[in-house]
Amino acid sequence: MEVRSEGVQVRCDKLPAPVIPRTRLQVWFIRVCSSILIWTCLVQLVAVGELWQPRLLGRFSNVIGLSKVSIHVEEVPSPPPLLPPRNYISNGFLKVSCNGGLNQMRAAICDMVTVARLLNLTLVVPELDKTSFWADPSDFDDIFDLKHFIDSLRDEVRIVRRLPKRFNRKYGYHPLEMPPVSWSNEKYYLQQILPLFSKYKVIHFNRTDTRLANNGIPLDLQKLRCRANFQALKFTPQIEALGRKLVQILQDKGPFLALHLRYEMDMLAFSGCTHGCAEEEAEELKRLRYAFPWWREKEIVSEEKRSQGLCPLTPEEAALVLQALGFDKDTQIYIASGEIYGSQRRLVALRTAFPRTVKKEMLLNPEELWQFQNHSSQMAALDFMVSIASNIFVPTYDGNMARLVEGHRRYLGFKKTIQLDRKKLVEFLDLHQNGTLSWDEFSLAVRAAHEAKMGQPARRRVIPDKPKEEDYFYANPEECLCERTSCEDLLGSPSSSTTTQQGTS
């Protein structure tokens, strides 16, 4: 039988059989199988493409003329794999509030990591000092790379960003607050601090400066202090980027000397050093000293302190000392410091002797520094980076930054750091300025006094029962400097400096 419709002939015996509707389960099954088949084909095509890609691209580029074009794609290095976390039963939470400036807090953080490891504690990310002279509102993660800090120490100590809610004050929990005893060793923390955690679970150390001894600490804990300092405490990407830019600007102009000129208002007020200041400036510094009740010394005789070598050099004195050490007027000098007391007036002699004297404010645009304004610790971090990278580092006072930079430069291969003997220098300066020592005699005396003070390998000085007079661990972490050689070969016989006469400087 045939059916004709508008010139189209269709044979009825060839019509398809009626379509049987599929169930939902069948439709779903067909779709799944199709997807699997398609993805399998794609995977195979990608594999074949990667195998043939170099040849195909080479032939294709010759055809279209791209063989002469060099395209460089910079590979982003993948982060190192995380070490497995250390598995231990925590004895409690250690909360710490650091006090002082950036570098004082930096050393304290490393000490608290070590204490947490020793006592099997969980460390809460340290709180930074916001009430000191600088009133810097920065939190830990405003200065340091917090994720890197936690991850890089996970195989040693568990670090959390905050206490669990059940330990919050709003839930009625009050941790034990206390400052640990200064310069304490392993025995103190194990015998006197650890038992307290069984009762309180959370202890808050409200002062952390110099709470761990320089010496008498097990080697593995000393190395952990170094690891926290040199590897875990990395600045934020913003600080790192701007610090590297500063270093590059300086290096493009040749070798440079970083002068840590600690002639700042807080240091002069705290120390009572007013040499070279006008009478009204001395009174201003005294008023500031009385304004901070935790600065214990109030009535200070400036010249007595200066004669004992306990004052930072003035900018004028620093200029004379650098000239006596043999630095000429073409030396590039970077001033690593905050605002110099007396401002530009006090820098005239230094800039006259060394015209290539600069500060970060002269090398960077105001817009680049704007994000760090009123954040003294973040500004100090930039100076820290430049000081570490400098060809020569010269601090005019042995404060926390000077000592930590010195130790870091030792760690990087004993880069030259001139450790000024201020007690001798004050004597030489006075003799030269009153005409007793000629310039040549003055210069010779200054150089002779510093031949062995250039950051060479040396053993850390130990004075039993007088930890304040010992060499500071972070200035000379000798346990961390002997990875590739014998300490005896590098530093000399241990017996030569295990104990030292108290008068040695």
Side-chain angles (χ1 to χ4, degrees):
M1 178 180 177
E2 293 182 355
V3 179
R4 296 180 180 273
S5 176
E6 297 180 354
V8 179
Q9 181 177 343
V10 181
R11 292 182 60 86
C12 289
D13 55 355
K14 299 295 183 180
L15 289 175
V19 178
I20 300 174
R22 295 171 177 157
T23 65
R24 289 185 179 180
L25 181 62
Q26 288 175 321
V27 173
W28 179 85
F29 180 76
I30 292 170
R31 287 178 178 176
V32 170
C33 292
S34 301
S35 299
I36 293 172
L37 180 62
I38 292 170
W39 277 108
T40 303
C41 293
L42 284 174
V43 170
Q44 294 296 325
L45 286 172
V46 169
V48 172
E50 290 178 350
L51 180 65
W52 287 94
Q53 184 181 12
R55 294 182 186 177
L56 292 174
L57 284 180
R59 292 176 185 174
F60 186 65
S61 62
N62 288 335
V63 172
I64 64 174
L66 292 178
S67 59
K68 296 180 181 179
V69 179
S70 176
I71 301 176
H72 173 68
V73 178
E74 184 176 351
E75 294 184 3
V76 178
S78 57
L82 293 178
L83 293 169
R86 177 168 164 260
N87 186 18
Y88 64 97
I89 298 175
S90 176
N91 290 317
F93 290 88
L94 177 60
K95 184 179 178 181
V96 298
S97 294
C98 301
N99 55 293
L102 172 66
N103 291 284
Q104 182 171 315
M105 293 192 292
R106 185 188 185 104
I109 291 166
C110 300
D111 285 350
M112 293 302 105
V113 166
T114 306
V115 170
R117 173 64 177 83
L118 171 65
L119 303 183
N120 285 334
L121 303 174
T122 299
L123 178 67
V124 182
V125 171
E127 297 175 348
L128 303 189
D129 192 343
K130 297 179 175 62
T131 62
S132 66
F133 170 84
W134 304 277
D136 188 336
S138 299
D139 290 319
F140 187 99
D141 56 356
D142 293 322
I143 300 173
F144 300 109
D145 187 329
L146 177 55
K147 185 177 186 304
H148 175 79
F149 176 70
I150 295 173
D151 289 346
S152 62
L153 293 169
R154 71 200 298 259
D155 62 317
E156 291 283 2
V157 62
R158 194 174 302 134
I159 303 174
V160 296
R161 295 171 185 257
R162 59 189 65 85
L163 281 171
K165 288 184 178 179
R166 67 181 184 275
F167 293 120
N168 286 350
R169 290 181 180 274
K170 66 180 181 180
Y171 291 100
Y173 188 85
H174 297 280
L176 173 64
E177 293 198 13
M178 61 174 291
V181 176
S182 297
W183 310 111
S184 296
N185 59 19
E186 178 189 26
K187 182 179 178 181
Y188 164 80
Y189 283 102
L190 287 171
Q191 295 184 359
Q192 298 190 44
I193 298 299
L194 182 57
L196 296 174
F197 280 94
S198 61
K199 178 180 180 181
Y200 294 97
K201 298 303 178 185
V202 179
I203 295 181
H204 180 191
F205 287 168
N206 49 24
R207 290 185 68 85
T208 57
D209 57 322
T210 62
R211 304 295 151 161
L212 193 58
N214 292 313
N215 303 290
I217 303 296
L219 180 61
D220 60 329
L221 295 181
Q222 295 287 55
K223 288 183 176 292
L224 179 56
R225 294 169 90 177
C226 291
R227 181 177 165 191
N229 186 21
F230 302 132
Q231 298 173 29
L233 284 179
K234 181 181 177 182
F235 294 124
T236 64
Q238 295 84 355
I239 294 175
E240 290 275 338
L242 198 56
R244 285 194 296 269
K245 181 175 181 178
L246 264 175
V247 171
Q248 189 62 56
I249 292 172
L250 289 159
Q251 290 177 339
D252 287 345
K253 299 176 182 179
F256 70 97
L257 179 153
L259 177 66
H260 183 42
L261 193 59
R262 193 67 170 96
Y263 199 77
E264 298 154 312
M265 190 176 191
D266 67 295
M267 172 50 61
L268 300 181
F270 173 76
S271 63
C273 297
T274 57
H275 182 74
C277 293
E279 186 175 343
E280 57 271 21
E281 289 175 326
E283 285 299 317
E284 179 184 37
L285 295 171
K286 184 176 180 179
R287 287 195 299 272
L288 180 62
R289 184 162 64 251
Y290 273 89
F292 287 86
W294 53 87
W295 290 356
R296 296 179 182 177
E297 284 189 279
K298 301 301 181 184
E299 293 297 325
I300 300 174
V301 180
S302 175
E303 289 307 313
E304 285 184 8
K305 272 212 160 185
R306 180 174 176 269
S307 65
Q308 297 167 2
L310 300 177
C311 289
L313 295 185
T314 68
E316 297 86 355
E317 291 172 335
L320 287 172
V321 169
L322 291 177
Q323 288 176 309
L325 287 169
F327 295 103
D328 60 33
K329 65 181 300 182
D330 292 326
T331 302
Q332 183 181 198
I333 295 179
Y334 175 87
I335 298 180
S337 75
E339 182 65 30
I340 300 300
Y341 190 62
S343 193
Q344 300 303 316
R345 172 179 62 84
R346 298 307 302 268
L347 292 175
V348 171
L350 181 63
R351 288 204 163 112
T352 300
F354 301 98
R356 298 181 66 197
T357 297
V358 296
K359 295 187 70 175
K360 54 185 170 290
E361 291 82 1
M362 299 169 61
L363 301 176
L364 298 172
N365 296 324
E367 295 78 15
E368 293 176 297
L369 281 175
W370 178 82
Q371 60 182 316
F372 304 118
Q373 294 295 338
N374 301 319
H375 295 83
S376 60
S377 291
Q378 296 181 48
M379 296 286 266
L382 296 173
D383 285 338
F384 184 89
M385 289 186 66
V386 176
S387 298
I388 295 295
S390 64
N391 298 86
I392 301 173
F393 176 63
V394 182
T396 61
Y397 186 77
D398 58 350
N400 289 293
M401 176 167 170
R403 293 185 289 182
L404 264 76
V405 170
E406 177 189 347
H408 210 119
R409 290 171 67 84
R410 287 176 180 272
Y411 181 78
L412 295 175
F414 298 98
K415 299 175 70 174
K416 182 176 285 189
T417 299
I418 303 180
Q419 304 141 328
L420 298 180
D421 187 332
R422 294 187 308 281
K423 187 173 182 179
K424 289 183 179 179
L425 284 176
V426 166
E427 179 184 351
F428 298 155
L429 285 161
D430 290 346
L431 290 173
H432 171 61
Q433 290 175 333
N434 67 23
T436 304
L437 280 181
S438 68
W439 174 256
D440 289 341
E441 291 170 328
F442 170 70
S443 181
L444 185 63
V446 169
R447 294 188 193 192
H450 294 88
E451 285 180 355
K453 291 182 173 291
M454 298 288 179
Q456 303 100 321
R459 285 200 173 273
R460 192 168 58 245
R461 179 181 51 180
V462 180
I463 304 177
D465 301 322
K466 293 194 175 181
K468 290 184 179 180
E469 298 178 25
E470 295 179 332
D471 288 338
Y472 189 43
F473 172 83
Y474 290 100
N476 186 15
E478 65 176 63
E479 295 90 338
C480 311
L481 308 179
C482 308
E483 300 291 344
R484 299 173 185 170
T485 184
S486 167
C487 278
E488 284 69 27
D489 294 339
L490 185 65
L491 304 173
S493 171
S495 61
S496 63
S497 58
T498 300
T499 57
T500 309
Q501 293 181 358
Q502 297 174 17
T504 304
S505 61

